[in-house]
Amino acid sequence: MSNKIAGARKKLQRVYELDFLDAPFEIEQEVGTTTTICSTTTTKSDDQQQSQQQRQLEWWTSRTAMVSLGYFPTVRAVVTAGSPYRTEPFGIIKLMEEQQKEEEKEQEEEEEGKNIPKLHFAGETDSMVPIESTKLLCEHGGNGRIIIHEKGHLFPTKAAYVNEMLDFLELSLESADSK
């Protein structure tokens, strides 16, 4: 391809670095299916070029859309000539985009959950939920604060704990309202 577009290549190379990659899928003429080959060489001997001219290669198959799916993360632009439109790769792209959006949404929701201010009470004599378990919840649940009281498995009602909870709620709700 580099030789075939020599005139345009010379002008383009004044501004851009060009790479000419062979498509990775060979079209089998008899059956009409494709098989994968590994060939990304940009310089070839005469024998290789002649062999290349006899083979027909393609970038698109029903299984993958190559650049669109991120197989070449450094590619910043694509120019094609004589490339057919096929619905299958775009269907795959759409499914992958939907899956990615769903994963991003789940991650966003998880991150939002971690950013919600949390106040955890843990009792020193709690035989049902050990303090270490509540500490782990505080660490992994994100943005948590733990207050350890001298009682067991209960919600503390002493004025000092109630006041800490009121202060926590006031600060948290003010912060949430300002967003």
Side-chain angles (χ1 to χ4, degrees):
M1 185 59 68
S2 176
N3 290 336
K4 289 182 180 181
I5 66 162
R9 185 191 73 229
K10 288 176 185 174
K11 289 179 183 177
L12 290 167
Q13 284 179 320
R14 292 179 195 154
V15 182
Y16 302 104
E17 178 182 333
L18 305 176
D19 292 307
F20 295 86
L21 305 177
D22 292 337
F25 300 104
E26 184 172 357
I27 301 171
E28 293 179 2
Q29 298 302 316
E30 305 85 6
V31 187
T33 61
T34 59
T35 55
T36 302
I37 63 168
C38 292
S39 177
T40 56
T41 310
T42 57
T43 59
K44 296 178 180 59
S45 69
D46 289 340
D47 290 341
Q48 287 174 322
Q49 286 179 348
Q50 186 175 13
S51 171
Q52 184 67 29
Q53 290 171 353
Q54 294 169 357
R55 297 185 311 171
Q56 290 188 342
L57 304 174
E58 66 180 343
W59 285 97
W60 303 82
T61 73
S62 61
R63 294 183 307 277
T64 183
M66 302 303 284
V67 172
S68 298
L69 294 176
Y71 284 97
F72 301 100
T74 58
V75 170
R76 296 176 53 205
V78 175
V79 178
T80 66
S83 297
Y85 171 78
R86 296 195 181 152
T87 58
E88 297 91 354
F90 291 99
I92 292 170
I93 292 169
K94 184 177 180 180
L95 288 174
M96 291 189 75
E97 285 174 345
E98 289 171 1
Q99 180 181 1
Q100 184 178 3
K101 284 179 185 176
E102 186 62 33
E103 289 171 1
E104 288 172 357
K105 181 181 175 186
E106 288 173 9
Q107 186 176 8
E108 235 175 66
E109 289 171 356
E110 183 179 316
E111 291 302 315
E112 285 176 11
K114 287 182 179 180
N115 291 329
I116 295 173
K118 298 167 196 71
L119 178 63
H120 303 283
F121 287 104
E124 287 178 347
T125 61
D126 190 339
S127 60
M128 294 178 71
V129 180
I131 291 174
E132 290 306 314
S133 179
T134 305
K135 284 180 180 178
L136 286 173
L137 172 65
C138 192
E139 291 169 12
H140 295 284
N143 203 17
R145 181 174 151 220
I146 188 168
I147 297 176
I148 301 172
H149 59 82
E150 66 282 351
K151 301 287 183 172
H153 189 72
L154 57 79
F155 193 91
T157 57
K158 277 188 169 180
Y161 297 122
V162 172
N163 287 337
E164 282 195 62
M165 182 178 51
L166 289 170
D167 290 343
F168 167 80
L169 290 172
E170 182 179 343
L171 286 172
S172 299
L173 296 175
E174 281 178 10
S175 174
D177 287 341
S178 67
K179 290 181 181 177

